[in-house]
Amino acid sequence: MEEDRLNSPSSSLITFEVLGLLLHFSQDPNSKHHGTTVWDASMVLAKFLERNCRKGQFCLNKLKGKRAIELGAGCGLAGFGMALLGCNVISTDQKEVLPLLMRNVERNILRIKQANLECSASMGSIQVAELDWGNSHHIAAVDPPFDYVIGTDIVYAEHLLDPLVATLNALSGPKTTILLGYELRSTNVHEKMMNMWKTNYEVKSIPKSKMDPKYQHSSIQLFVMRLKMTLPQQVCNCGVAEIKHGDDENIEIAEDMEDYSHGDEEGIKERKEDLGLENKKHLNEWETRRYGSLAARLLQNVKVT
């Protein structure tokens, strides 16, 4: 798969602000591994968490002290979004990526401690571990199940779908929330991915209205998922009121999922929109990054003679 952006050695350091903290992430866009680049979906997810940290499913009170694992962490940006909200995070990736991931984790933990801000005092923890999808030894070593499983831009080829679903299932329990960020690149892979996810999980697309107004894009989606429940805990399609046995925890889960019940239609509509450059006189840094990505896709097959 071709790279989806215009990277150069000059972009070896990414600075990113979350909850008032300026974090630094080293990347190596010229390496042969996709995990050594900060992908845009991780920024969208981190800013979504920041925007929704006061109320709702991902508020500070609900995340404090919870266990979270990040799949395909790469440079580690999304994991810090969860850790800053109080989660104890394990950021995982393949062996080749771990040195860069570890360096980013150590650097930013030090920056957070030195900042001595209120959010740094409430921060959880973040550790690094090797996890090849489908590897039973790696999965057992991180001690599932987790409260949260997160990942961003970890699906870009069809052969990854089966091991990803197997790993998600192995890391999850009936109370696990899965939060994935994803940039649409292949309609074929997207359709197969959604079919597999909907077979295994309750899937909701987060609407753009709940994302950060700046850090969003029509091609980037966020999904909240849970393992499909079995009777008698199963939630009827009719609504929350028909949950059996008055299970308070299942009611809370259903209400959380209901928050995103209208997101699928909105996501489809927004992916069909044009980029809307006609009314823009100046581009901010995020927009420049996104339009640069578009230019890379348009030009990747152009030959200059």
Side-chain angles (χ1 to χ4, degrees), residues 71-72 92 131-135 138-139 154-155 160-161 163-164 167:
L71 298 180
T92 70
L131 200 162
D132 286 320
W133 298 351
N135 186 310
H138 291 174
I139 292 170
I154 54 178
V155 178
L160 298 173
L161 294 175
L164 173 59
T167 303

Side-chain angles (χ1 to χ4, degrees), residues 277-296:
L277 282 169
E278 63 275 4
N279 294 322
K280 296 238 177 232
K281 294 182 179 180
H282 303 285
L283 300 181
N284 58 39
E285 181 180 353
W286 170 253
E287 291 167 331
T288 301
R289 183 180 177 93
R290 293 306 311 165
Y291 297 141
S293 175
L294 174 64

Side-chain angles (χ1 to χ4, degrees), residues 21-227:
L21 289 165
L22 188 63
L23 304 179
H24 289 180
F25 294 93
S26 295
Q27 64 169 357
D28 185 6
N30 297 315
S31 81
K32 295 181 179 180
H33 202 292
H34 294 295
T36 59
T37 297
V38 175
W39 297 98
D40 293 346
S42 65
M43 297 181 172
V44 172
L45 186 144
K47 282 296 188 179
F48 162 77
L49 292 171
E50 178 186 70
R51 180 177 174 83
N52 293 274
C53 69
R54 297 188 181 277
K55 63 178 182 178
Q57 184 178 3
F58 298 100
C59 69
L60 283 162
N61 291 339
K62 291 187 177 181
L63 295 187
K64 183 67 176 177
K66 300 295 186 181
R67 297 182 69 229
I69 187 166
E70 181 181 13
L71 298 180
C75 298
L77 192 155
F80 270 95
M82 295 292 284
L84 285 169
L85 294 178
C87 280
N88 297 316
V89 180
I90 301 179
S91 291
T92 70
D93 213 311
Q94 294 177 314
K95 183 177 181 179
E96 297 83 358
V97 182
L98 293 188
L100 179 62
L101 176 58
M102 180 69 75
R103 187 161 71 247
N104 282 328
V105 168
E106 292 174 347
R107 166 192 284 172
N108 284 300
I109 287 176
L110 181 61
R111 291 184 64 85
I112 291 168
K113 289 180 178 179
Q114 291 175 340
N116 198 28
L117 298 176
E118 182 179 350
C119 60
S120 64
S122 63
M123 180 179 173
S125 63
I126 185 164
Q127 301 176 331
V128 172
E130 180 182 2
L131 200 162
D132 286 320
W133 298 351
N135 186 310
S136 59
H137 298 292
H138 291 174
I139 292 170
V142 295
D143 193 23
F146 288 83
D147 298 298
Y148 295 91
V149 181
I150 70 169
T152 54
D153 264 334
I154 54 178
V155 178
Y156 52 85
E158 186 176 339
H159 73 273
L160 298 173
L161 294 175
D162 284 327
L164 173 59
V165 169
T167 303
L168 288 173
N169 291 344
L171 296 172
S172 301
K175 301 177 184 178
T176 301
T177 297
I178 301 170
L179 177 61
L180 300 180
Y182 166 76
E183 181 163 358
L184 178 63
R185 294 184 175 88
S186 165
T187 55
N188 185 51
V189 172
H190 176 77
E191 289 174 0
K192 292 184 178 181
M193 177 192 76
M194 294 305 300
N195 287 335
M196 292 183 71
W197 285 2
K198 290 181 178 180
T199 299
N200 290 272
Y201 315 109
E202 300 292 340
V203 182
K204 296 299 179 184
S205 176
I206 295 176
K208 296 295 191 292
S209 59
K210 290 186 176 289
M211 299 182 193
D212 182 276
K214 176 181 175 182
Y215 287 92
Q216 59 175 261
H217 190 267
S218 58
S219 66
I220 296 178
Q221 295 177 273
L222 300 181
F223 296 96
V224 176
M225 309 194 303
R226 294 186 190 271
L227 287 172

Side-chain angles (χ1 to χ4, degrees), residues 228-236 244-245:
K228 284 191 172 180
M229 289 180 272
T230 57
L231 292 174
Q233 290 81 24
Q234 187 171 14
V235 179
C236 298
K244 306 302 181 183
H245 307 298

Side-chain angles (χ1 to χ4, degrees), residues 233-300:
Q233 290 81 24
Q234 187 171 14
V235 179
C236 298
N237 291 331
C238 308
V240 176
E242 298 195 23
I243 298 175
K244 306 302 181 183
H245 307 298
D247 189 324
D248 291 339
E249 185 169 10
N250 282 333
I251 291 173
E252 182 179 355
I253 288 173
E255 288 174 341
D256 285 339
M257 296 298 284
E258 185 71 13
D259 286 342
Y260 309 116
S261 61
H262 304 295
D264 297 304
E265 292 182 3
E266 182 175 336
I268 292 171
K269 178 181 178 182
E270 288 171 337
R271 286 196 300 276
K272 293 180 179 178
E273 292 178 350
D274 292 329
L275 291 175
L277 282 169
E278 63 275 4
N279 294 322
K280 296 238 177 232
K281 294 182 179 180
H282 303 285
L283 300 181
N284 58 39
E285 181 180 353
W286 170 253
E287 291 167 331
T288 301
R289 183 180 177 93
R290 293 306 311 165
Y291 297 141
S293 175
L294 174 64
R297 292 198 298 271
L298 294 174
L299 295 175
Q300 63 184 14

